[in-house]
Structure formats: C-alpha cells, structure tokens
Amino acid sequence: MDIKTIDQLLDRFEKTGVVGEGDARVKLVVNRLVRDLMIAIEDLDISPEEFWSGLNYFAEAGRNGELGLIAPGIGLEHFLDLRLDEAEARAGLKGGTPRTIEGPLYVAGAPVAQGEARLDDGQTAGEVVVMQGVVRGTDGQPVGGAKVEVWHANSLGNYSYFDPSQSAFNLRRTIVTDAQGRYKFRSVMPVGYSCPPGGATDRLLQLLGRHGHRPAHIHFFVSAPGHRKLTTQINIENDPHLWDDFAFGTREGLVPKVYTNNDRAAMQALGVDKPFYEIQFDFTLHAEQASAPATDFARPRAAA
Ligand code: MBD
Ligand code: FE
C-alpha cells in the first residue's frame, strides 16, 4: 500500500524489521532518532537543499576527523558529564574532584614515569610550569600507585600526534603516584586550543554566532584500583576565555591559583633563568561504586 503520511512511514519503517531480529537497543534508539528528525524537518520546514547540505556537512566533518570536535562544541560532551554527575548524586557519591570533558585529543601509550616527569621534550617553546599534588580517596587517604595521565597543548594551542611538527608524546605522560600519593611534573604553559580555522566545526560555530576557542587547560585521567576513574582538566586562571569555553568544560573547583616563583635557588635547581609558574592541585577519587554508571567507558581513542 502507498505510504501517504509520516505516521504511516514511521510505522512501516519500524515494521520492516523482523520481530525478534536485529538488536533491540539499536532499534529503540534509531527509531526514536529517526522519528525526532522527521518531526524537526516538518516543524522547521527543512528544504531538500538544507537536508542534503546537512548530510554532506557531517560527511565532511567525519572525513576530516572533526566529529569529536562538534560533539563538545554543541554541548553534547558536557551534557554527558552532567548526566554522570546526576547519576553519581543519586548513588550518594559526593566530594570527589569535579569531572570535565575528555575532548578528542588524548593519545594512549604515553611514557610512564614514577612519581615525577618532565612533559616537554626540551625543544618546546613556552614558560616553565611545575605542577604537583596528591591523589586521595574521599576518605582523605592518599592513594599510592595511582595513574595520573596528563596531556596538554603547547604554546600555540596544538597537541602532539595531531600536530606532526611536535615530537612523539610531547606534553603527554602517565605519572604513577608515590607511596604518599604524590605526583609532580615540569612542563611548559599551554595556550588555549582553537578549532581549525575554516574547518567544519569552525564554520558551524560562525553560523551560530559563536567562536571555537578554549581557555588554556591541562587534561587528566586519574585512576587507581578500587576507585572510579576521573576524567578532568584544570584551567589556567586569567585566560580571557576562562568562562567562555566553546566546549563548556570550565567548572568551579578546576581553576587552581597559578603562582610565580622567582626564588633564585628554585630557578637554579630547575635550570631556568627566569621566574617559573607553580600549580598545586590535589585529586580526590570516589571509591568503586557498583550502583553508579562506569566512568572508564570505552571510547575509540588514538594510540601510538
Ligand atoms: C581540546 O583541546 C579539547 O580539550 C576539547 C574538549 C575540544 C577540542 C580541543
Ligand atoms: Fe584539550
């Protein structure tokens, strides 16, 4: 029979699947999303030209590896964080370091260091920063042997691996905390990332009357046996985009004070001839909790 209405089409679409065949979850999600899309096309009277332009937009974004940038840019990645926050609150979890988005620029396989590390390769321009702190449980006890995976941009806002001009794993390390739960690293101050100019994300943001800049930040995965994995970042205070992040990632509790150390002996010990920055930041991990959704979920990630 001829299909004459949207309701008939959706009905037929769903019924073309054989009952009991396929994947129940995929059917549920896809059928819902298709319905919502058709309704949006109707409500907004989206023209064929607009429809195909939109389809092609996503195809191009995918070819250029920008879908992982659009997701935070339209707030979806932060939305997933808010949902995890709510699930944790319902499970009675409180007091941990706030989570914030992972973003698309993590690379697995960074060199592992015990207790402390230098993240830059010695050839990387930028102002020296020393960051350190303690990983603890919500009971206040230090967590020795925790993994602190850290990655950040260089002083041009670019990340190694994605920026082939940088050395392998520049500004990326896994630091294992000592018996007192301490980690420490030396690096160079990052500058905020900006979406590739003229790329799919940047063009979309322009059309939305927005920009594609992030404030300077340093990413972390903090994990330890018996604890929930923490995905977070710290932001560098005084950045003009501190509370104007295109990815909505800035959160209270993630903006530590940045101190300037101009002590001669401290500078000499580091081998630098200028004052350097210091940041102190402790991480608090929740204990494992079966009644809250896992935070170490799978996600396709680069590896080198
Ligand atoms: C980044 O560096 C980042 O952290 C996010 C969330 C998105 C794009 C670039
Ligand atoms: Fe980043």
Side-chain angles (χ1 to χ4, degrees):
M1 208 191 51
D2 200 4
I3 299 170
K4 296 202 182 69
T5 67
I6 289 192
D7 281 342
Q8 285 171 2
L9 175 58
L10 283 164
D11 192 53
R12 182 72 72 84
F13 174 79
E14 292 183 20
K15 287 192 175 134
T16 48
V18 178
V19 177
E21 295 284 309
D23 182 281
R25 179 69 178 164
V26 172
K27 286 184 190 178
L28 187 70
V29 172
V30 171
N31 292 348
R32 166 62 185 271
L33 291 178
V34 169
R35 171 180 298 270
D36 287 356
L37 181 56
M38 287 180 179
I39 291 170
I41 291 171
E42 284 254 281
D43 286 352
L44 304 175
D45 196 20
I46 291 173
S47 71
E49 201 168 302
E50 288 174 325
F51 174 82
W52 295 112
S53 145
L55 188 91
N56 195 63
Y57 171 81
F58 281 114
E60 184 206 320
R63 278 194 302 275
N64 296 335
E66 289 209 23
L67 290 173
L69 215 47
I70 294 172
I74 60 178
L76 276 176
E77 196 169 353
H78 185 64
F79 167 76
L80 297 179
D81 277 349
L82 296 177
R83 295 197 70 239
L84 276 172
D85 289 350
E86 286 180 10
E88 287 183 345
R90 283 195 299 274
L93 297 180
K94 42 181 179 289
T97 299
R99 66 165 45 75
T100 197
I101 54 176
E102 171 182 333
L105 304 173
Y106 171 80
V107 180
V112 179
Q114 302 297 323
E116 22 185 307
R118 179 169 178 173
L119 311 193
D120 65 286
D121 59 9
Q123 317 273 80
T124 307
E127 303 184 276
V128 173
V129 57
V130 174
M131 177 165 169
Q132 60 191 312
V134 176
V135 177
R136 293 196 184 80
T138 47
D139 57 3
Q141 290 303 309
V143 182
K147 264 196 333 187
V148 177
E149 297 180 74
V150 50
W151 71 102
H152 68 80
N154 66 7
S155 58
L156 298 173
N158 297 325
Y159 286 76
S160 66
Y161 181 91
F162 303 96
D163 167 15
S165 79
Q166 294 183 50
S167 60
F169 288 111
N170 193 35
L171 315 181
R172 301 176 184 274
R173 284 302 179 276
T174 294
I175 303 168
V176 178
T177 58
D178 70 11
Q180 283 75 251
R182 293 176 300 196
Y183 75 91
K184 181 176 182 178
F185 63 83
R186 168 195 176 152
S187 196
V188 295
M189 263 296 186
V191 163
Y193 172 94
S194 295
C195 294
T201 313
D202 184 56
R203 278 167 15 235
L204 175 63
L205 293 168
Q206 298 279 329
L207 291 170
L208 295 172
R210 297 181 51 200
H211 65 72
H213 306 300
R214 299 208 69 207
H217 60 280
I218 302 176
H219 293 266
F220 298 92
F221 286 154
V222 186
S223 58
H227 296 269
R228 289 169 66 73
K229 174 179 170 178
L230 171 69
T231 299
T232 197
Q233 308 174 19
I234 60 135
N235 283 109
I236 305 305
E237 61 176 3
N238 299 325
D239 188 295
H241 289 103
L242 182 60
W243 292 101
D244 185 24
D245 174 11
F246 97 96
F248 310 99
T250 315
R251 308 196 89 171
E252 260 165 46
L254 298 178
V255 190
K257 272 234 134 317
V258 177
Y259 298 96
T260 301
N261 189 331
N262 42 33
D263 178 67
R264 283 261 145 231
M267 283 157 56
Q268 211 158 34
L270 269 186
V272 296
D273 54 11
K274 282 192 304 210
F276 59 95
Y277 294 115
E278 281 184 316
I279 299 172
Q280 166 77 40
F281 193 83
D282 297 344
F283 297 100
T284 305
L285 301 182
H286 290 296
E288 231 161 32
Q289 172 64 250
S291 64
T295 52
D296 62 345
F297 47 82
R299 168 176 173 173
R301 295 178 173 99

mmCIF file of all heavy atoms in Angstrom, residues 101-106 151-153 157 159 193 214-215 217-219 233, ligand 2:
data_model
loop_
_atom_site.group_PDB
_atom_site.id
_atom_site.type_symbol
_atom_site.label_atom_id
_atom_site.label_comp_id
_atom_site.label_asym_id
_atom_site.label_seq_id
_atom_site.Cartn_x
_atom_site.Cartn_y
_atom_site.Cartn_z
ATOM 1 N N ILE A 101 35.014 17.253 30.547
ATOM 2 C CA ILE A 101 35.175 16.542 29.281
ATOM 3 C C ILE A 101 36.595 16.085 28.948
ATOM 4 O O ILE A 101 37.569 16.777 29.210
ATOM 5 C CB ILE A 101 34.670 17.417 28.120
ATOM 6 C CG1 ILE A 101 35.340 18.808 28.127
ATOM 7 C CG2 ILE A 101 33.163 17.567 28.203
ATOM 8 C CD1 ILE A 101 34.931 19.668 26.949
ATOM 9 N N GLU A 102 36.649 14.944 28.292
ATOM 10 C CA GLU A 102 37.924 14.389 27.798
ATOM 11 C C GLU A 102 38.386 15.116 26.539
ATOM 12 O O GLU A 102 39.587 15.336 26.359
ATOM 13 C CB GLU A 102 37.719 12.896 27.492
ATOM 14 C CG GLU A 102 38.888 12.239 26.785
ATOM 15 C CD GLU A 102 38.623 10.768 26.469
ATOM 16 O OE1 GLU A 102 37.819 10.131 27.194
ATOM 17 O OE2 GLU A 102 39.202 10.248 25.502
ATOM 18 N N GLY A 103 37.449 15.446 25.664
ATOM 19 C CA GLY A 103 37.849 16.019 24.382
ATOM 20 C C GLY A 103 38.411 14.949 23.461
ATOM 21 O O GLY A 103 38.530 13.793 23.843
ATOM 22 N N PRO A 104 38.753 15.342 22.243
ATOM 23 C CA PRO A 104 39.142 14.357 21.220
ATOM 24 C C PRO A 104 40.643 14.158 21.056
ATOM 25 O O PRO A 104 41.064 13.526 20.101
ATOM 26 C CB PRO A 104 38.546 14.979 19.950
ATOM 27 C CG PRO A 104 38.667 16.449 20.170
ATOM 28 C CD PRO A 104 38.517 16.678 21.655
ATOM 29 N N LEU A 105 41.475 14.663 21.985
ATOM 30 C CA LEU A 105 42.906 14.734 21.678
ATOM 31 C C LEU A 105 43.813 13.898 22.579
ATOM 32 O O LEU A 105 45.029 14.042 22.559
ATOM 33 C CB LEU A 105 43.345 16.214 21.682
ATOM 34 C CG LEU A 105 42.535 17.103 20.717
ATOM 35 C CD1 LEU A 105 42.892 18.568 20.872
ATOM 36 C CD2 LEU A 105 42.738 16.658 19.269
ATOM 37 N N TYR A 106 43.207 12.965 23.332
ATOM 38 C CA TYR A 106 44.006 12.023 24.128
ATOM 39 C C TYR A 106 44.684 11.021 23.202
ATOM 40 O O TYR A 106 44.105 10.623 22.191
ATOM 41 C CB TYR A 106 43.087 11.297 25.112
ATOM 42 C CG TYR A 106 43.751 10.142 25.834
ATOM 43 C CD1 TYR A 106 44.588 10.366 26.931
ATOM 44 C CD2 TYR A 106 43.536 8.820 25.418
ATOM 45 C CE1 TYR A 106 45.193 9.307 27.595
ATOM 46 C CE2 TYR A 106 44.134 7.755 26.078
ATOM 47 C CZ TYR A 106 44.963 7.999 27.158
ATOM 48 O OH TYR A 106 45.564 6.941 27.807
ATOM 49 N N TRP A 151 47.858 15.313 29.669
ATOM 50 C CA TRP A 151 48.159 15.768 28.300
ATOM 51 C C TRP A 151 47.685 17.202 28.136
ATOM 52 O O TRP A 151 46.693 17.610 28.737
ATOM 53 C CB TRP A 151 47.560 14.827 27.252
ATOM 54 C CG TRP A 151 46.070 14.806 27.055
ATOM 55 C CD1 TRP A 151 45.376 15.412 26.044
ATOM 56 C CD2 TRP A 151 45.080 14.100 27.823
ATOM 57 N NE1 TRP A 151 44.032 15.134 26.154
ATOM 58 C CE2 TRP A 151 43.819 14.332 27.237
ATOM 59 C CE3 TRP A 151 45.133 13.301 28.982
ATOM 60 C CZ2 TRP A 151 42.620 13.803 27.741
ATOM 61 C CZ3 TRP A 151 43.949 12.769 29.494
ATOM 62 C CH2 TRP A 151 42.721 13.023 28.867
ATOM 63 N N HIS A 152 48.436 17.969 27.370
ATOM 64 C CA HIS A 152 48.040 19.365 27.131
ATOM 65 C C HIS A 152 48.677 19.916 25.860
ATOM 66 O O HIS A 152 49.559 19.294 25.264
ATOM 67 C CB HIS A 152 48.357 20.239 28.353
ATOM 68 C CG HIS A 152 49.808 20.449 28.641
ATOM 69 N ND1 HIS A 152 50.577 21.370 27.976
ATOM 70 C CD2 HIS A 152 50.639 19.860 29.549
ATOM 71 C CE1 HIS A 152 51.806 21.347 28.469
ATOM 72 N NE2 HIS A 152 51.880 20.431 29.411
ATOM 73 N N ALA A 153 48.218 21.091 25.471
ATOM 74 C CA ALA A 153 48.690 21.741 24.239
ATOM 75 C C ALA A 153 49.996 22.481 24.485
ATOM 76 O O ALA A 153 50.352 22.793 25.627
ATOM 77 C CB ALA A 153 47.621 22.725 23.752
ATOM 78 N N GLY A 157 48.802 26.213 21.224
ATOM 79 C CA GLY A 157 47.482 25.586 21.359
ATOM 80 C C GLY A 157 47.367 24.258 20.622
ATOM 81 O O GLY A 157 46.265 23.753 20.436
ATOM 82 N N TYR A 159 48.365 20.062 19.964
ATOM 83 C CA TYR A 159 48.659 18.811 20.686
ATOM 84 C C TYR A 159 49.545 17.904 19.839
ATOM 85 O O TYR A 159 49.286 17.721 18.643
ATOM 86 C CB TYR A 159 47.351 18.063 20.980
ATOM 87 C CG TYR A 159 46.518 18.667 22.080
ATOM 88 C CD1 TYR A 159 45.768 19.826 21.849
ATOM 89 C CD2 TYR A 159 46.459 18.088 23.341
ATOM 90 C CE1 TYR A 159 44.996 20.378 22.851
ATOM 91 C CE2 TYR A 159 45.675 18.633 24.353
ATOM 92 C CZ TYR A 159 44.956 19.780 24.100
ATOM 93 O OH TYR A 159 44.187 20.319 25.088
ATOM 94 N N TYR A 193 43.370 26.016 23.066
ATOM 95 C CA TYR A 193 43.134 25.426 21.744
ATOM 96 C C TYR A 193 42.088 26.238 20.982
ATOM 97 O O TYR A 193 41.164 26.796 21.575
ATOM 98 C CB TYR A 193 42.633 23.998 21.956
ATOM 99 C CG TYR A 193 42.150 23.283 20.715
ATOM 100 C CD1 TYR A 193 43.007 22.460 19.994
ATOM 101 C CD2 TYR A 193 40.833 23.416 20.276
ATOM 102 C CE1 TYR A 193 42.568 21.789 18.863
ATOM 103 C CE2 TYR A 193 40.386 22.751 19.144
ATOM 104 C CZ TYR A 193 41.251 21.944 18.437
ATOM 105 O OH TYR A 193 40.802 21.287 17.341
ATOM 106 N N ARG A 214 39.094 27.613 23.289
ATOM 107 C CA ARG A 214 39.064 27.105 24.654
ATOM 108 C C ARG A 214 40.059 27.902 25.484
ATOM 109 O O ARG A 214 41.077 28.364 24.951
ATOM 110 C CB ARG A 214 39.483 25.624 24.705
ATOM 111 C CG ARG A 214 38.582 24.687 23.907
ATOM 112 C CD ARG A 214 38.622 23.301 24.531
ATOM 113 N NE ARG A 214 37.967 23.351 25.822
ATOM 114 C CZ ARG A 214 38.231 22.535 26.833
ATOM 115 N NH1 ARG A 214 39.166 21.625 26.745
ATOM 116 N NH2 ARG A 214 37.569 22.655 27.966
ATOM 117 N N PRO A 215 39.824 28.049 26.767
ATOM 118 C CA PRO A 215 40.854 28.619 27.635
ATOM 119 C C PRO A 215 41.996 27.609 27.773
ATOM 120 O O PRO A 215 41.797 26.413 27.525
ATOM 121 C CB PRO A 215 40.131 28.797 28.972
ATOM 122 C CG PRO A 215 39.033 27.785 28.953
ATOM 123 C CD PRO A 215 38.629 27.631 27.512
ATOM 124 N N HIS A 217 44.297 24.913 29.258
ATOM 125 C CA HIS A 217 43.880 23.848 30.169
ATOM 126 C C HIS A 217 44.850 22.687 30.115
ATOM 127 O O HIS A 217 45.602 22.541 29.144
ATOM 128 C CB HIS A 217 42.467 23.372 29.812
ATOM 129 C CG HIS A 217 42.369 22.824 28.421
ATOM 130 N ND1 HIS A 217 42.257 23.637 27.310
ATOM 131 C CD2 HIS A 217 42.404 21.557 27.943
ATOM 132 C CE1 HIS A 217 42.214 22.893 26.217
ATOM 133 N NE2 HIS A 217 42.307 21.618 26.571
ATOM 134 N N ILE A 218 44.805 21.846 31.139
ATOM 135 C CA ILE A 218 45.618 20.624 31.195
ATOM 136 C C ILE A 218 44.670 19.467 31.507
ATOM 137 O O ILE A 218 43.887 19.541 32.467
ATOM 138 C CB ILE A 218 46.729 20.728 32.271
ATOM 139 C CG1 ILE A 218 47.636 21.936 31.972
ATOM 140 C CG2 ILE A 218 47.544 19.442 32.343
ATOM 141 C CD1 ILE A 218 48.719 22.186 33.038
ATOM 142 N N HIS A 219 44.719 18.420 30.686
ATOM 143 C CA HIS A 219 43.819 17.271 30.839
ATOM 144 C C HIS A 219 44.405 16.205 31.766
ATOM 145 O O HIS A 219 45.617 15.976 31.757
ATOM 146 C CB HIS A 219 43.634 16.576 29.484
ATOM 147 C CG HIS A 219 42.916 17.373 28.459
ATOM 148 N ND1 HIS A 219 41.566 17.270 28.263
ATOM 149 C CD2 HIS A 219 43.364 18.252 27.533
ATOM 150 C CE1 HIS A 219 41.212 18.051 27.253
ATOM 151 N NE2 HIS A 219 42.280 18.670 26.798
ATOM 152 N N GLN A 233 40.085 18.244 33.896
ATOM 153 C CA GLN A 233 41.061 19.225 33.402
ATOM 154 C C GLN A 233 41.213 20.283 34.475
ATOM 155 O O GLN A 233 40.295 20.491 35.262
ATOM 156 C CB GLN A 233 40.542 19.962 32.154
ATOM 157 C CG GLN A 233 40.055 19.095 31.042
ATOM 158 C CD GLN A 233 39.422 19.918 29.912
ATOM 159 O OE1 GLN A 233 39.632 21.107 29.788
ATOM 160 N NE2 GLN A 233 38.646 19.251 29.087
HETATM 161 FE FE FE B 2 42.273 19.986 25.275
#
